[in-house]
Amino acid sequence: MRIVAFFVLFFGLIGCRESVQPTLVDKPVEVRRPQSFPPFEFPADNRPTALRIQLGRQLFYDTRLSSSNAIHCGSCHVLSAAFTDGRATSPGIAGIAGRRNAPTLANVAWMKRFMMEGGVPTLETQALAPLHDSLEMGTNMMRAVHRLNEDGDLKALAKAAYGRDSIDPFVVTRALACFQRTFVSGDSRYDRFLLGQKDQINEHELRGRDLFFSERTQCGSCHGGVFFTDMEYHNIGLYAVYSDEGKARATHLPGDVGKFKTPTLRNIQLTSPYMHDGSIASLEEVIAFYNRGGEPHINRDVRVRALQLSKQECDDLLAFLMTLTDWNFVQQKDLLPLER
Ligand code: HEC
Ligand code: HEC
């Protein structure tokens, strides 16, 4: 009798362990790149694999990364809004209003520096910012990893993905970055048009495109290239007096007051409200703002000045901006939380 009980117990335990921690086998993954995008190298210590991306995906939507246990990265970076959140500034824990408008995370793999004043050099280090910011997630990395390590399945996944015995800050920041580098958006109507599908864009939109890239508006000189950003910092005269000093917060130089990283205009139709503080509600109003030429500010870029665009020209510009939406991107199921 005792022997039978022993076997039942013994095999029962083995069976049980196996179901909790199945052997996870990882494999390299190739992140697809639209034809027109420049090649991109993943960092040597964070090459993409199926399990790294899966771990990053789980962490991106994990509320254990916030002290209130109520928000995750995806609370402010919502896929259907191209990873923005539709709010002027994002409330963090306890509903305290944040300072800035959540930017899109589309194509972050190609961005050179992060945050609107460019204070963060890599996507790996960027994840530390919301985790420590009391207005956003308000927890800190050591507390977060402690909580995550209580989860055996997650630990097994982290071990298979990065070869570490426990979940540590290295694993969390790299997995989050690895997942975010799969946010690739380059399939708008305008992209298809550039690849030769001429019927994707109508006359009205073409006139808008010509205006956008013209000497007259200079829009394309800052919002140029495949990502519709020069990745530089400019003051566009949004205010005569800035309460958020932008780049000067990082450099403390008076000449940098009011300078912000040029935002990409890909998916711009989906990412309202606009500007660093979400102060402009619609694209029509953004265009009206540029048409007026901005507020007087000593650092205002000379390219921003009254444009004298007619109503028709404003409409054309708007129509062009609407061709930059990638509807497939915002419906990509593998960017949503894993279904359980
Ligand atoms: C409470 C809302 C909120 C939460 C939660 C949040 N973010 Fe953000 N995120 C923002 C805002 C606002 C900014 C702009 C901050 C700035 O530039 O000063 C931002 C900026 C970023 C950027 C920089 C993008 C760029 O182009 O410079 C990345 C990347 C990012 N967040 C990823 C994450 C990740 C990963 C998490 C989860 C660990 C996260 N965010 C959680 C609101 C949020
Ligand atoms: C001197 C460079 C420059 C020029 C010229 C310029 N922009 Fe911008 N644009 C910026 C910067 C920088 C911001 C962010 C400013 C801020 O948040 O304070 C911005 C913001 C925007 C936004 C809001 C983006 C978002 O995600 O919030 C839109 C839309 C836009 N610009 C469209 C245009 C159009 C259309 C033109 C031409 C009429 C134009 N821009 C000309 C640099 C420029």
Side-chain angles (χ1 to χ4, degrees):
M1 267 311 279
R2 268 214 217 137
I3 293 176
V4 173
F6 171 78
F7 274 106
V8 169
L9 193 67
F10 183 74
F11 286 110
L13 275 178
I14 290 185
C16 187
R17 277 187 61 179
E18 273 178 0
S19 72
V20 173
Q21 300 191 346
T23 324
L24 294 167
V25 187
D26 208 1
K27 58 173 189 310
V29 162
E30 177 132 19
V31 176
R32 74 191 164 79
R33 167 171 66 86
Q35 244 171 294
S36 57
F37 285 20
F40 169 76
E41 273 283 309
F42 275 71
D45 64 355
N46 201 13
R47 301 259 191 252
T49 66
L51 295 182
R52 288 176 177 182
I53 294 169
Q54 186 190 327
L55 178 64
R57 181 177 179 188
Q58 277 177 231
L59 292 173
F60 192 85
Y61 293 109
D62 196 325
T63 56
R64 286 173 294 192
L65 292 181
S66 76
S67 57
S68 59
N69 239 335
I71 65 171
H72 46 66
C73 310
S75 308
C76 301
H77 298 289
V78 184
L79 176 62
S80 59
F83 287 115
T84 65
D85 66 0
R87 296 176 286 201
T89 57
S90 310
I93 44 164
I96 312 163
R99 282 179 291 262
R100 288 184 177 166
N101 180 247
T104 179
L105 302 183
N107 306 322
V108 280
W110 284 268
M111 297 300 135
K112 290 202 193 111
R113 295 187 71 82
F114 300 91
M115 309 306 249
M116 297 177 188
E117 66 263 0
V120 178
T122 70
L123 200 49
E124 273 75 5
T125 43
Q126 199 286 327
L128 295 170
L131 284 178
H132 288 269
D133 189 339
S134 58
L135 290 175
E136 290 187 9
M137 303 179 85
T139 187
N140 68 54
M141 187 56 93
M142 294 328 286
R143 269 210 313 242
V145 296
H146 180 76
R147 283 204 272 181
L148 297 172
N149 273 310
E150 290 166 356
D151 180 338
D153 287 351
L154 201 69
K155 257 176 94 167
L157 179 57
K159 166 120 184 145
Y162 287 100
R164 301 259 172 155
D165 286 328
S166 64
I167 301 170
D168 58 19
F170 174 94
V171 168
V172 174
T173 52
R174 276 164 187 72
L176 282 169
C178 202
F179 177 53
Q180 292 176 85
R181 289 197 180 97
T182 69
F183 300 175
V184 179
S185 174
D187 185 25
S188 65
R189 280 201 287 126
Y190 185 58
D191 292 296
R192 292 179 187 186
F193 168 82
L194 291 179
L195 291 174
Q197 298 179 35
K198 299 296 173 205
D199 60 345
Q200 291 287 327
I201 303 276
N202 65 30
E203 296 264 301
H204 176 38
E205 293 158 343
L206 272 181
R207 284 199 306 270
R209 183 211 44 187
D210 293 344
L211 255 180
F212 184 89
F213 290 108
S214 67
E215 283 288 307
R216 192 166 153 220
T217 69
Q218 306 256 18
C219 309
S221 70
C222 294
H223 298 282
V226 275
F227 301 111
F228 294 87
T229 164
D230 57 3
M231 302 195 196
E232 295 296 333
Y233 305 82
H234 307 282
N235 177 317
I236 59 166
L238 189 60
Y239 298 111
V241 178
Y242 280 81
S243 60
D244 180 341
E245 298 199 324
K247 191 157 190 240
R249 273 171 57 178
T251 64
H252 306 290
L253 297 172
D256 284 340
V257 171
K259 289 191 179 168
F260 291 86
K261 185 169 70 178
T262 309
T264 176
L265 298 186
R266 285 188 173 276
N267 302 304
I268 196 70
Q269 169 185 14
L270 304 176
T271 65
S272 70
Y274 302 102
M275 303 303 172
H276 65 272
D277 53 0
S279 57
I280 303 191
S282 69
L283 280 178
E284 286 86 342
E285 290 167 78
V286 171
I287 292 169
F289 159 83
Y290 279 112
N291 203 17
R292 287 193 304 274
E295 300 294 322
H297 192 289
I298 186 156
N299 294 337
R300 192 180 80 198
D301 194 284
V302 291
R303 287 167 287 187
V304 182
R305 73 260 181 259
L307 297 174
Q308 333 282 354
L309 300 172
S310 67
K311 168 85 178 59
Q312 180 64 53
E313 289 171 319
C314 291
D315 287 351
D316 292 345
L317 261 184
L318 176 66
F320 172 63
L321 294 179
M322 307 282 252
T323 69
L324 303 179
T325 310
D326 177 349
W327 293 106
N328 288 331
F329 172 63
V330 294
Q331 294 180 61
Q332 221 174 292
K333 290 218 167 45
D334 58 359
L335 302 182
L336 289 171
L338 271 174
E339 279 172 24
R340 287 179 180 267

